[in-house]
Every structure is written in structure tokens, then in C-alpha cells.
Amino acid sequence: MKKNNQALPVVKNEYYHMTIDDLGIHGEGIGKINGYTLFVDGALPGEKVKVKVIKTKKNYGYGKLIEIVKPSEHRRDPVCPIAKRCGGCQIQHLSYKAQLAYKRKKIVDLLERIGGMKDVVVNETIGMDDPYYYRNKVQFPVGEAMDGGIDIGFYAMRSHQIVTTDTCYIQQPVNGTIIETIKAHMLTYGIPPYSEHRHQGLVRHIVTRISHHTNEIMVGIVINGHKLPHEEELVTSLQQIEQVSGIYVSMNKEKTNVIMGKTIRMLWGQETITDYIGAIAFRISPLSFYQVNPIQTEKLYNMVLAYADLTGEEVVWDAYCGIGTISLFLAKHCKKVLGVEIVPEAIQDAKENARLSGITNAEFHVGKAERVITEQFQDGVKADVIVVDPPRKGCDKELLDTIIAMEPKRVVYVSCDPGTMARDVRVLCDGGYAVREVQGVDMFPHTVHTETICLLKNSKSSDYLYIDN
Ligand code: SAH
């Protein structure tokens, strides 16, 4: 036993009874034994459980859930038989109502812990009526099975071990047929799956994206090479699946966790699928970002529109605009919208989408949001409202500084990581903004993730004074 463990109130490999008090940001149960914190995967707040201590550190340790002595009233049997092992859904064993409450609390806690903000108005999380089969995009890892066969499924929790499945309750059932078709092709022609460990083999991932409104499906095969053997035969097999409208390979020969390669090559069909958000049609290329939950996306964008509070006179920046979804959603409510995005293919899509919808007051720029908006500001371009929707790492400090210098009346911060949002919102608040309201939208039911929108107002702007809530 390690020296510093001797004084701990728990002993490794021993069994204990304990009560779970909280649910951590990764969905793990948290409780204390004689003041010592233990993290217990699979346990829920309010539960009395028996655990085996499996790892101890100075200030906290990990327990394995052995028995639930008294279950939580919010405990549910997961619909998915592999929910416990699969890393995709972390909280399927929690009632949906409690999931929504958990996500709200997560936002409140992070705003306080990271942003140092107390008493912020955080509304009830907007949930789904039917929180299953919602994802429009899936990325299945392909790997070597223990018996030498092919494993296709999802990564297990905190690992790259593949848990095989052909049914996933948060994705579209047709994916099962797509996986089976590609697997059969690999077996017929002896095409090896990729081994991360040896950086050998060919097929790394299968990526599908389905349009919620038109049902078109784009199928991508990510390979550690340039060509897939017998590509024509694979195309013929996949064409049997009625909705498939495009098939591509993505070349990714890097030793990396990034799934898609930088280039794609169409094997067959259309280069984009089309989906609708509200009345606006969006063409989506394989390399462009598109929100994964189409039903919740519309609710999210309606909240952005409400928070932007446009009169028709405003100039709006949409930073991190992807294929221009938020920009085009706002365009008819403002004088001009400017979008900026780092992926050139996404900006091509954005321009095409504006053209298709006959929107002429949207202008799109390729580049880093922090650079482009700063340079435009130096050239005298000022916005009345700025929407930011950054990736998980949040906004670059340069962008936050430019926003503070530009002094738009409102900033609408859309985030898929409330932790980095809290950090950035703190910077904006220190620069003269105040948080008016925060809203969680559940884009990812059964997972611990949440989308969050935060409305900030410039305390110097005149309309700040008229707000009485
Ligand atoms: N608002 C869009 C996309 C949000 S996802 C939507 O709702 O669909 C975040 C986007 O930011 C991605 O498209 C990503 O490519 C882009 N991105 C990442 N870093 C960036 C940066 N520094 N500047 C501009 N765009 C960036």
C-alpha cells in the first residue's frame, strides 16, 4: 500500500456502503465516505449503494458499483441493451425529466464555479417529446475483432475498444443496414479493418448523415489509404438502400483521433444532402458542420432569434457560422448578416444556401472568426448584435476582446460546452456585459452533453435600461 494512502478513510479493494449525493459532469455518481469523495459510475443521486473501492488518490477515489441497495425514484431500465458498456449514452439509466434537470444544474454549477456568477437566470432545459432516434449523423469506428473478424460499433466508455452493435436507439435504424452492407463487402473482398494500435489496415470509420426532411443519406467510408478495393461493387450494394443519395471515401492516413481526413473523393451520387430548418433549405457537404439533432436545432435557432431581438435595422455577425444556418435564419429579420467560418467547404455551402433561398443580405467570409471580425472592425465594420457558436474549446480571447471593443448591444453565445462558455462569459462580463438569461436546449438526450444559449447585454447600451427582469 502506498504511504500516503494509509491515512485514507477507505482501503482499496474493500467494500463499503454509501449514499450518492450528486451526478458529476461525466454522469458519474458522487458521494462521500467519512468525508472522502468517491466517484461511482452508474450510481445516481439519492441512491444507497454498495461499492468496491478500485482506485484511491489523495483527495478522492473511484468505486465500482456492486449493488444498488435503495434505487433512486429516477432510475430507469435503459432501452438499449449495451447502454452500460457503450460510451455513447452515459445517463440512459436516468429518467428523461431528471436528465433535463441535471443539465440545467450543470449549467448553473459551471457558471458559478468557472464563471464566478451566482443568481443567473437559467431556464428549464428545453427537452424533446420523444428523445430517441434523434441523431442525423453517426460515426462508427471499424476495427479488428479479437477473433480476427471485423468489429463495427461504438467506443466503450473512456476507451477505444469497440462495442459492437447494429441497433442504436439515438440514431436512425437504417444505419444498421448500411453497416451490414459495408461489413459484407469487406468480408467478401478480404478488406482489412484499421488497427489503431499498429496503424495498419484500411477501413477506419463509417460515417453517415441523414436529412431529417428529405431522408437523403450520405455514406462515407474513412480509409487509411487512397482507394477501397472493388469500389464499384460497394456502390452497387449501397445503392440498394433506397435513401442513399451519395457515397464518398475520405482519405485519412494520419495517426490521429480526428475521424475525417482533409479530402474526400465521391464514389457516386450527389456531393451534398439537403435539409430544412424552418422554411430554409440547407445543402450540406461531408466536411461541413451541421447540428446533429434536427428537431432541437429548430428550437435552438428560434431561441437565438428571440434573444437577438431584431427589428430589421441591425447588422449582425454570426461567428463560427458553419454552413450559414444561423445567419440565414436571422437574415430576414435584420438589415445585414455577416458570417465567418474556418472551413472553406462550409462557406461554399453557406453562399449556395443563401442563393437558393434568395437571401441577398448575407455575406460570408472564410477564416478564423477572431481574425476576420477583428480586421473588419479595424476597417470600421460594427455589428449591433453578435452571435457566437464556437466549438467546444470556446472563443479565442482575441474575439472576446474585439467584441468588448466593438460594443454590440447584444451578444448571443451558443455553446456545446457550458464550461468554456462560462469562462468566456466571465471575460465579456468583465468587459462591460451582463448576463440576462441562459437557456439549455437538450440536443443530446441520454448523454451528459447540453447545448446552451446565453444572452448578454451591453450595460452601456440604451436598451439595457428598458429591461426590467
Ligand atoms: N453555427 C453553426 C456551426 C457551429 S459549430 C451551426 O449551428 O451549424 C462550430 C463551427 O466553428 C464549425 O463549423 C467549425 O468549423 C468552426 N470553427 C472552428 N474554429 C473556428 C475559428 N477559429 N473561426 C471560425 N470558425 C471556426
Side-chain angles (χ1 to χ4, degrees):
M1 191 188 281
K2 279 187 202 159
K3 229 179 179 179
N4 66 355
N5 276 358
Q6 278 169 355
L8 296 180
V10 299
V11 177
K12 195 173 157 185
N13 291 329
E14 288 294 317
Y15 293 82
Y16 297 87
H17 281 88
M18 66 184 291
T19 302
I20 302 297
D21 308 316
D22 205 357
L23 201 55
I25 56 169
H26 305 295
E28 71 282 21
I30 306 175
K32 284 190 189 320
I33 298 176
N34 296 331
Y36 181 79
T37 301
L38 270 196
F39 297 104
V40 186
D41 271 345
L44 294 175
E47 293 191 326
K48 294 201 186 323
V49 295
K50 181 179 172 187
V51 299
K52 179 182 178 185
V53 173
I54 50 173
K55 193 170 178 180
T56 52
K57 299 204 172 203
K58 195 165 161 231
N59 297 317
Y60 59 91
Y62 296 89
K64 184 175 179 341
L65 182 61
I66 301 296
E67 190 191 334
I68 300 165
V69 180
K70 185 179 155 280
S72 156
E73 58 177 310
H74 299 297
R75 180 169 284 280
R76 298 288 179 273
D77 284 333
V79 291
C80 175
I82 61 159
K84 252 191 189 164
R85 284 181 296 135
C86 178
C89 295
Q90 302 85 16
I91 48 173
Q92 247 196 52
H93 55 293
L94 185 61
S95 74
Y96 189 54
K97 194 170 158 234
Q99 287 183 25
L100 296 177
Y102 160 72
K103 292 182 186 191
R104 179 181 175 277
K105 181 171 179 293
K106 186 173 178 173
I107 298 168
V108 171
D109 288 351
L110 287 167
L111 281 170
E112 184 169 342
R113 189 155 59 78
I114 297 179
M117 281 169 281
K118 281 187 177 173
D119 306 323
V120 174
V121 179
V122 180
N123 298 326
E124 298 294 321
T125 310
I126 298 174
M128 295 188 79
D129 293 338
D130 179 15
Y132 293 97
Y133 304 111
Y134 59 84
R135 279 188 71 99
N136 58 16
K137 182 182 177 187
V138 54
Q139 309 186 113
F140 294 102
V142 182
E144 285 176 327
M146 296 286 256
D147 63 3
I150 300 168
D151 275 348
I152 305 178
F154 298 106
Y155 289 134
M157 201 94 88
R158 301 185 200 100
S159 108
H160 271 201
Q161 207 183 334
I162 297 171
V163 182
T164 54
T165 180
D166 54 8
T167 313
C168 170
Y169 292 84
I170 61 167
Q171 312 201 349
Q172 307 305 314
V174 66
N175 283 319
T177 315
I178 295 171
I179 297 178
E180 282 312 313
T181 306
I182 296 173
K183 186 172 177 180
H185 180 82
M186 291 173 68
L187 290 171
T188 304
Y189 296 104
I191 302 171
Y194 178 66
S195 154
E196 255 186 353
H197 178 57
R198 289 182 284 113
H199 191 45
Q200 275 174 7
L202 195 62
V203 180
R204 297 173 75 129
H205 273 86
I206 297 168
V207 180
T208 70
R209 200 183 244 161
I210 303 178
S211 160
H212 181 65
H213 282 88
T214 64
N215 272 329
E216 291 168 329
I217 305 177
M218 181 75 89
V219 180
I221 301 119
V222 184
I223 55 173
N224 173 38
H226 290 287
K227 200 173 170 343
L228 200 60
H230 300 274
E231 286 175 350
E232 279 173 26
E233 286 84 346
L234 178 62
V235 167
T236 307
S237 306
L238 285 170
Q239 280 171 336
Q240 308 308 309
I241 304 164
E242 210 185 320
Q243 299 129 278
V244 173
S245 62
I247 306 166
Y248 66 89
V249 287
S250 160
M251 281 80 77
N252 184 355
K253 293 174 76 175
E254 307 287 315
K255 251 188 171 172
T256 171
N257 280 343
V258 175
I259 293 174
M260 293 284 269
K262 291 197 176 65
T263 50
I264 64 151
R265 177 167 54 86
M266 290 306 294
L267 298 185
W268 171 78
Q270 301 163 21
E271 292 178 18
T272 55
I273 55 170
T274 302
D275 202 2
Y276 288 81
I277 304 172
I280 305 174
F282 290 99
R283 292 220 180 146
I284 313 153
S285 306
L287 291 173
S288 298
F289 175 89
Y290 186 62
Q291 299 284 357
V292 297
N293 183 330
I295 294 170
Q296 295 299 88
T297 297
E298 195 165 340
K299 297 180 192 170
L300 177 80
Y301 290 175
N302 276 318
M303 279 311 300
V304 173
L305 183 62
Y307 280 177
D309 195 15
L310 302 170
T311 62
E313 293 305 314
E314 295 83 356
V315 172
V316 180
W317 262 116
D318 176 15
Y320 311 89
C321 71
I323 59 171
T325 41
I326 294 177
S327 321
L328 300 183
F329 209 76
L330 302 185
K332 65 172 184 288
H333 303 276
C334 61
K335 188 161 93 191
K336 185 174 182 184
V337 62
L338 302 146
V340 55
E341 157 66 44
I342 204 164
V343 174
E345 288 85 352
I347 286 294
Q348 274 171 23
D349 288 346
K351 288 180 176 166
E352 178 65 5
N353 289 331
R355 199 187 60 77
L356 283 174
S357 298
I359 292 173
T360 52
N361 62 338
E363 183 182 300
F364 292 101
H365 299 255
V366 180
K368 289 186 175 172
E370 56 273 23
R371 281 282 69 224
V372 171
I373 295 178
T374 304
E375 282 163 12
Q376 292 275 324
F377 178 54
Q378 284 159 356
D379 289 346
V381 178
K382 285 182 80 170
D384 304 289
V385 177
I386 297 189
V387 179
V388 299
D389 183 6
R392 278 192 197 165
K393 69 175 181 195
C395 293
D396 192 278
K397 179 75 169 36
E398 185 184 3
L399 177 61
L400 300 174
D401 289 342
T402 299
I403 293 174
I404 290 166
M406 195 191 296
E407 298 183 346
K409 283 187 209 146
R410 287 179 288 287
V411 177
V412 182
Y413 195 128
V414 183
S415 164
C416 53
D417 184 333
T420 54
M421 182 193 80
R423 177 200 68 199
D424 293 348
V425 163
R426 172 81 263 160
V427 175
L428 292 172
C429 288
D430 290 345
Y433 282 81
V435 175
R436 301 315 311 228
E437 199 175 308
V438 180
Q439 176 70 62
V441 178
D442 190 21
M443 295 284 254
F444 320 102
H446 307 296
T447 78
V448 292
H449 303 291
T450 179
E451 197 78 8
T452 312
I453 322 175
C454 176
L455 170 63
L456 295 119
K457 295 209 172 189
N458 186 333
S459 35
K460 288 185 214 146
S461 114
S462 56
D463 76 4
Y464 182 84
L465 304 171
Y466 299 125
I467 302 294
D468 56 7
N469 65 342

